Amino acid sequence: MIVALLNQKGGVGKTTLALHLAGEWAANGKRVTLIDADPQGSALDWSQQRAREALPRLFGVVGLARDTLHREAPELARDADHIVIDGPPRVAGLMRSALLAADLVLIPVQPSPFDGWASAEMLSLLGEARIYRPQLAARFVLNRCGARTVIARATAEALADHDPPVLGATIGQRVAFADAAQSGRLVSELDDDSPAARDIAALCAEVGRIAL
Ligand SMILES: Nc1ncnc2c1ncn2[C@@H]1O[C@H](COP(=O)(O)OP(=O)(O)O)[C@@H](O)[C@H]1O
Ligand SMILES: [Mg+2]
């Protein structure tokens, strides 16, 4: 399966969730390649940090921030069980290419009532991609849910029938994600039984149940 983490907004958790989804699949014995489609290369930085600290390689990270991504991804997919694409902010050409490559698009959003969840442009790019790829699945993922997750969950339920629907699994606002990012680790490597690690396991399990 090719999963793309996309949202034109920066700082919503694309890189965090891409790395953790890839890591969770790898921990479950899957062959995973992560495509860093963000010119800023934060996923590549993370994997280089790992290499510097001589941590074991969990999955390959390939920098591919080009509009031809959708033509190159199937080749990479041949040698992997799963491909995870860490999407770029803003750049519409790259976003389009990632949408054409993906089987499933996950759109991380922060459940704030003051914030549009995804930009109109993001949703129109998704609509455009579906002209060519009617089977393309998409889901919102609520990230950085705070103590008032009840509100987030109510919002999620209200929006479950909408398109794209919202995943039931949500990711809490947890410092472990920032600690993991800085140290080239995954939250499960910091503490396998932490709330953050359990959030990720639940997310990964739900993504695995999406029929594509
Ligand atoms: N659930 C979370 N809890 C705490 N911090 C988070 C969470 N998700 C992301 N972050 C932090 O927010 C910042 C932006 O996340 P990032 O994944 O880089 O977003 P994007 O790739 O969409 O720009 C990073 O510093 C990251 O560590
Ligand atoms: Mg990023």
Side-chain angles (χ1 to χ4, degrees):
M1 154 168 27
I2 302 183
V3 180
L5 280 289
L6 297 177
N7 187 332
Q8 285 179 300
K9 279 189 193 160
V12 291
K14 293 181 292 294
T15 302
T16 304
L17 297 183
L19 290 171
H20 282 86
L21 209 52
E24 187 72 15
W25 272 326
N28 293 336
K30 303 289 185 196
R31 291 168 309 159
V32 184
T33 298
L34 189 147
I35 297 179
D36 190 340
D38 182 351
Q40 283 200 342
S42 353
L44 280 168
D45 288 346
W46 177 90
S47 77
Q48 275 158 19
Q49 169 82 358
R50 268 190 94 77
R52 272 197 298 276
E53 299 204 15
L55 292 163
R57 182 182 178 280
L58 300 172
F59 49 85
V61 181
V62 181
L64 212 61
R66 321 194 259 265
D67 294 1
T68 50
L69 174 80
H70 58 289
R71 282 193 240 126
E72 300 175 63
E75 173 114 23
L76 290 167
R78 225 174 290 145
D79 300 320
D81 298 308
H82 296 305
I83 299 274
V84 180
I85 302 173
D86 179 16
R90 292 177 298 278
V91 202
L94 275 172
M95 183 87 67
R96 226 174 243 126
S97 187
L99 283 165
L100 289 176
D103 304 305
L104 169 67
V105 180
L106 295 178
I107 310 166
V109 288
Q110 235 167 300
S112 155
F114 309 109
D115 228 16
W117 276 16
S119 66
E121 194 185 357
M122 161 90 228
L123 294 177
S124 92
L125 286 172
L126 180 61
E128 207 180 275
R130 279 179 161 162
I131 296 170
Y132 306 99
R133 317 229 11 249
Q135 305 306 319
L136 177 61
R139 301 286 188 276
F140 282 114
V141 184
L142 301 184
N143 185 29
R144 311 190 80 156
C145 297
R148 288 180 231 180
T149 318
V150 191
I151 298 170
R153 211 161 274 152
T155 314
E157 273 163 26
L159 283 159
D161 299 334
H162 287 235
D163 188 42
V166 186
L167 288 183
T170 60
I171 308 293
Q173 166 68 35
R174 311 197 190 278
V175 283
F177 285 107
D179 294 345
Q182 277 160 22
S183 60
R185 286 172 173 81
L186 297 170
V187 290
S188 58
E189 292 176 296
L190 298 176
D191 179 356
D192 192 31
D193 196 32
S194 59
R198 287 199 297 267
D199 282 355
I200 291 298
L203 172 69
C204 196
E206 186 173 356
V207 168
R209 288 193 298 269
I210 297 172
L212 295 173

